[in-house]
């Protein structure tokens, strides 16, 4: 399109040319042509509509309009055209106003087209992804960024910020998304694909449609929060009515594939593969499944079109009918041998109820379809009805067979069950008592009888006739429940009571247990579930058990008292050691062992009193069990022996533990007594010596073991202490535990171990005295002989000085040695020995000094005589 230029010469001034009539007339004619051309083009452009339903068509429209109007606008800007307009303006032509109006419209529409083309071009990349993307996942990823770009257009654009522009554009986007989903979810090919892939496509399509709506509302909120005065308050129904409907169709399609995969293929076909060797059954099922879904592949309408909503609803109803009958049929066939039961339902009545519930499900569906004449009038509808009738007949035959088998078995087995005794027993009562678990009673109420009661009640609820005996037993259910509950509680008490008793107590209470067994015997020999004396039997057993329980508890209380005394005896400390008054001073060996013996005597008196109290407690047991208090009841002979053996074990442990503790004290590096190292010329020895200390140790061990002499044995078969036996006139023998305990290998082992450890300790202490033997010349040398020999030699003073320095060094050296040696439980005092060595060294110094003095005086007197002789000779 090009504006026609005037043919007149326009050279010259505008004001001059505007006065030339020929020029003005020529230019006016040209302007009229321009006006008509621009008006016609504007009218054509404004009448144009987008060539397509998608948003890209609208962008193409604005681009085309912008290009067309831009061509005119650029020509209007040419200098020649502008001069024409100026001349006409100067000439004040009446036509100039009409032309200016057209030019103003051109400018307005050009600016609009230019603005719209510019802003919509920012959306082009996203819109191309919608229309040509490789899959719905591309669409899903594009929608958020597209709507964000639309929000910016709404805020910045001068034209697409109005409802009349934005709403149609959003409708086009919605149409584009719908078209892409239709293309992906093509029913003619969808059902021929892999089921998993098809389900994935449907799910992605549905998600994309839902995301379109979700992202739209998110953008609405963002527009409001941006501070813009213009909100997105569009007609939501115009934008999403069709896509929402498509979401429903996608859900229907997903449900179809879910039923096909989960209910038919994934459940029935694997089950049939495992339980049947006939592949024809599996092929038949696959064929029926294909028949069920075949209508979906041959639709004559677009299921995504809202105009076809009724047709689609018809297809879905027919599918649900097919699937319902097919699923119920397969569930029935699959679970015939092991039907799923409702909670608390018995096997037979539960199976019948299950079958009836399946039958009701498909019957309800068929009844509903009968109300829709069109559904059952089709060939497939008639076929489904025949399948229903066959399945319903199989179910009825199944129920009848189950009921008949149950009735026949109940009439045969119930009389036998009623003849069962109340209890069963694990061993014969006549056998002698050997253990507390000798006889174990068990409730003999058959679970099958309980099942018959429950079956009978449910059969009557199902409206089925039951045998008279079964009805009678079912009516007695509460009574049987009371009996079984009380019998079970009674037997639990019995077994708990027998578990409470040890072997000694079982023998002690043998008469009571035999009496209880005699009463229980009626429950496993005479009484059956038809007997009338069951209640009395339970009462009698419960009372007898209660009495025995009371007696056992009383005996246990007394046993606990005896055990407490024995525990106190066993924990007695027979080796209590003295504590030093101050931290350094420890008792000597004799003082230490005397203290231990004295404390033992005090403890023995205390524990013997506890031991002497035990017979009285046993007499209390005798009084409760045998109604005597002699202490020598034959019924308690084994019980006396049991406790006497316990006492022996306790006393043995008492001695063993104390000897072990004493041995640990010996080995511990904590000094408890002290001895001295002394010089007993010519030897260095311990005081008291090793032999004496070992004797004291052995005696202390013997004292510990002899503590058991104070525990007098009982006479055989009693708890009465044996009186002293006079063997000779002056010899009395007392029977105590000492003779047995002193021979215990454990005690002998501990005694030997203690003695050996003390011996080794004393040997070690003796060995540490060897270092003092280097000074033995101080007392082993004959001092007189040494001094006489030295006097005869008359050595020089330096010799005397050497001897004196040696002895003075010895005296000084011993004062610097450690004077205390702690080893294990003994402290060795070396001060007496050091003092003796020092004293001997000093004696040598004094003796040498005396000799030196005497020799010096002799020498002095001799020198004095020589001086006098010399003087007289002068």
């Amino acid at each position: 399109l090009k504006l026609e230029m005037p043919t007149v010469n326009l050279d010259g001034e505008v004001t001059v040319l505007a006065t030339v009539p020929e020029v003005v007339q020529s230019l006016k004619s040209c302007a009229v042509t321009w006006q008509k051309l621009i008006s016609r083009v504007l009218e054509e452009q404004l009448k144009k509509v987008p060539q397509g339903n998608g948003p890209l068509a609208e962008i193409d429209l604005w681009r085309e309009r912008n290009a067309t109007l831009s061509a005119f606008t650029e020509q209007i800007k040419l200098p020649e055209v502008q001069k024409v307009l100026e001349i006409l303006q100067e000439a004040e032509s009446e036509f100039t106003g009409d032309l200016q109006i057209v030019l103003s419209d051109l400018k307005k529409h050009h600016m609009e087209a230019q603005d719209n083309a510019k802003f919509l071009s920012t959306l082009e990349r996203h819109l191309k992804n919608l229309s040509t993307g490789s899959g719905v996942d591309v669409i899903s990823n594009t929608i958020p960024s597209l709507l964000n770009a639309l929000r910016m257009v709404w805020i910045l654009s001068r034209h697409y910020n109005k409802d009349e522009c934005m709403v149609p554009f959003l409708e086009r986007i919605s149409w584009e998304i719908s078209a892409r989903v239709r293309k992906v979810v093509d029913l003619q090919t969808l059902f021929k694909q892999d089921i998993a892939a098809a389900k994935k496509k449907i799910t992605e399509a549905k998600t994309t449609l839902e995301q379109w709506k979700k992202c739209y509302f998110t953008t609405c909120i963002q527009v409001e929060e941006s501070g813009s005065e213009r909100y997105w308050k569009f007609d939501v129904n115009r934008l999403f009515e069709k896509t929402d409907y498509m979401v429903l169709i996608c859900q229907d399609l997903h449900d179809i594939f879910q039923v096909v995969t989960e209910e038919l293929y994934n459940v029935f076909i694997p089950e049939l593969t495992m339980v049947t060797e006939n592949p024809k059954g599996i092929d038949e099922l696959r064929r029926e499944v294909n028949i069920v879904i075949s209508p979906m592949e041959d639709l004559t309408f677009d299921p995504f079109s809202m105009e076809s909503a009724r047709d689609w609803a018809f297809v879905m109803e027919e599918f649900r009918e097919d699937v319902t009958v097919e699923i119920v049929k397969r569930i029935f066939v699959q679970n015939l041998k092991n039907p799923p039961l409702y909670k608390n339902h018995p096997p037979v009545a539960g199976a019948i109820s299950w079958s009836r519930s399946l039958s009701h499900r498909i019957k309800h569906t068929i009844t509903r379809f009968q109300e829709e004449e069109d559904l059952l009038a089709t060939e497939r509808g008639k076929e489904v009805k025949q399948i229903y009738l066959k399945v319903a007949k199989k179910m009825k035959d199944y129920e009848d067979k189950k009921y008949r088998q149950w009735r026949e078995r109940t009439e045969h087995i119930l009389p036998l069950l009623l003849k069962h005794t109340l209890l069963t027993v694990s061993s014969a009562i006549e056998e002698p008592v050997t253990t507390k678990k000798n006889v174990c009673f068990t409730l003999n109420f058959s679970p099958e009888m309980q099942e018959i009661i429950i079956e009978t009640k449910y059969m009557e609820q199902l409206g089925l006739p039951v045998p008279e005996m079964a009805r009678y037993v079912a009516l007695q259910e509460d009574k049987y429940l009371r009996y079984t509950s009380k019998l079970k509680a009674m037997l639990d008490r019995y077994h708990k009571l027998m578990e409470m008793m040890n072997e000694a107590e079982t023998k002690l209470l043998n008469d009571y247990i035999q009496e209880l067994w005699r009463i229980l015997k009626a429950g496993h020999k005479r009484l059956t579930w038809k007997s009338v004396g069951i209640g009395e039997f339970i009462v009698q057993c419960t009372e007898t058990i209660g009495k025995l329980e009371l007696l056992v508890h009383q005996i246990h209380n007394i046993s606990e008292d005896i055990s407490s005394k024995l525990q106190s005896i066993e924990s007695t400390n027979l080796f209590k050691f003295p504590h030093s008054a101050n931290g350094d001073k420890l008792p000597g060996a004799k003082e230490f062992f005397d203290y231990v013996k004295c404390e033992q005597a005090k403890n023995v008196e205390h524990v013997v009193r506890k031991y002497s109290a035990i017979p009285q407690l046993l007499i209390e047991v005798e009084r409760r069990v045998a109604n005597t208090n002699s202490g020598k009841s034959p019924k308690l002979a084994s019980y006396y022996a049991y406790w006497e053996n316990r006492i022996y074990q306790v006393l043995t442990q008492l001695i063993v533990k104390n000897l072990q503790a004493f041995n640990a004290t010996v080995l511990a590096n904590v000094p408890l007594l002290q001895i001295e190292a002394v010089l007993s010329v010519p030897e260095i020895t311990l005081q008291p010596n090793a032999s004496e200390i070992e004797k004291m140790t052995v005696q202390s061990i013997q004292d510990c073991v002899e503590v058991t002499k104070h525990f007098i044995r009982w006479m055989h078969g009693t708890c009465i202490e044996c009186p002293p036996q006079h063997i000779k006139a002056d010899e009395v023998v007392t029977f105590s535990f000492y003779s047995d305990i002193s021979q215990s290998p454990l005690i002998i082992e501990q005694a030997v171990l203690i003695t050996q450890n003390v011996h080794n300790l004393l040997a070690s202490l003796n060995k540490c005295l060897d270092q003092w033997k280097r000074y033995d010349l101080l007392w082993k040398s004959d001092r007189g002989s040494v001094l006489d020999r030295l006097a005869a030699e008359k050595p020089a003073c330096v010799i005397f000085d050497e001897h004196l320095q040696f002895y003075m060094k010895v005296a000084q050296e011993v004062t610097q040695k450690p004077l205390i040696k702690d080893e294990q439980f003994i402290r060795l005092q070396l001060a007496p020995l050091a003092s003796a060595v020092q004293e001997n060294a000093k004696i040598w110094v004094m003796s040498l000094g005396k000799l030196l003095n005497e020799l010096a005086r002799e020498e002095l007197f001799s020198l004095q005589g020589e001086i006098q002789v010399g003087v007289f000779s002068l």
Side-chain angles (χ1 to χ4, degrees), residues 224-242:
E224 292 183 14
E225 292 176 348
S226 67
S228 172
E229 296 179 357
R230 298 181 298 276
Y231 297 160
W232 279 18
K233 300 292 184 181
F234 308 143
D235 185 351
V236 177
N237 195 47
R238 284 181 61 183
L239 300 180
F240 301 108
E241 182 181 22
K242 294 180 180 179

Side-chain angles (χ1 to χ4, degrees), residues 547-673:
K547 291 177 182 179
L548 183 55
E549 274 180 340
L550 177 61
L551 183 56
V552 169
H553 283 304
Q554 291 172 343
I555 293 172
H556 280 180
N557 290 335
I558 296 172
S559 297
E560 288 174 6
D561 286 347
I562 298 174
S563 296
S564 175
K565 294 182 184 302
L566 293 180
Q567 186 177 0
S568 177
I569 292 172
E570 184 178 338
S571 60
T572 301
N573 183 5
L574 298 178
F575 285 95
K576 291 185 177 178
F577 308 121
H579 300 286
S580 58
N582 53 62
D584 296 328
K585 182 65 175 175
L586 294 176
K590 186 174 185 309
E591 181 184 355
F592 175 82
F593 285 108
D594 285 347
Y595 180 88
V596 170
K597 184 173 183 178
C598 180
E599 290 299 317
Q600 276 182 1
K602 294 178 184 177
N603 287 330
V604 167
E605 182 181 352
H606 179 68
V607 296
V608 167
R609 281 200 302 270
K610 291 183 178 180
Y611 169 72
S612 300
I614 292 175
Q616 288 302 315
L617 294 172
L618 293 176
I619 289 173
E620 178 63 21
V621 173
E622 178 189 343
R623 186 181 68 79
R624 296 181 183 276
V625 174
N627 293 319
T628 60
N629 55 1
S630 62
K632 53 183 179 179
S633 171
K635 292 184 178 180
L636 275 76
S638 62
Y639 199 60
Y640 299 144
Y642 164 77
W643 281 109
E644 192 169 24
N645 183 56
R646 282 281 306 276
I647 293 168
Y648 167 76
Q649 294 172 358
V650 165
L651 292 177
T652 301
Q653 284 299 309
L654 168 69
I655 304 304
V656 169
K657 288 180 179 179
N658 274 278
L659 291 180
Q660 288 173 341
F662 182 43
N663 185 50
T665 302
V666 168
L667 296 175
N669 291 317
V670 179
L672 296 176
L673 60 89

Side-chain angles (χ1 to χ4, degrees), residues 743-757:
Q743 303 302 316
S744 169
L746 288 174
I747 293 175
I748 294 172
E749 179 186 354
Q750 283 299 316
V752 170
L753 187 60
I754 294 170
T755 305
Q756 184 177 355
N757 287 336

Side-chain angles (χ1 to χ4, degrees), residues 511-523:
D511 291 347
Y512 293 88
I513 294 172
Q514 290 293 341
E515 174 61 19
L516 176 58
W517 287 347
R518 184 190 65 78
I519 296 170
L520 288 169
K521 183 178 180 180

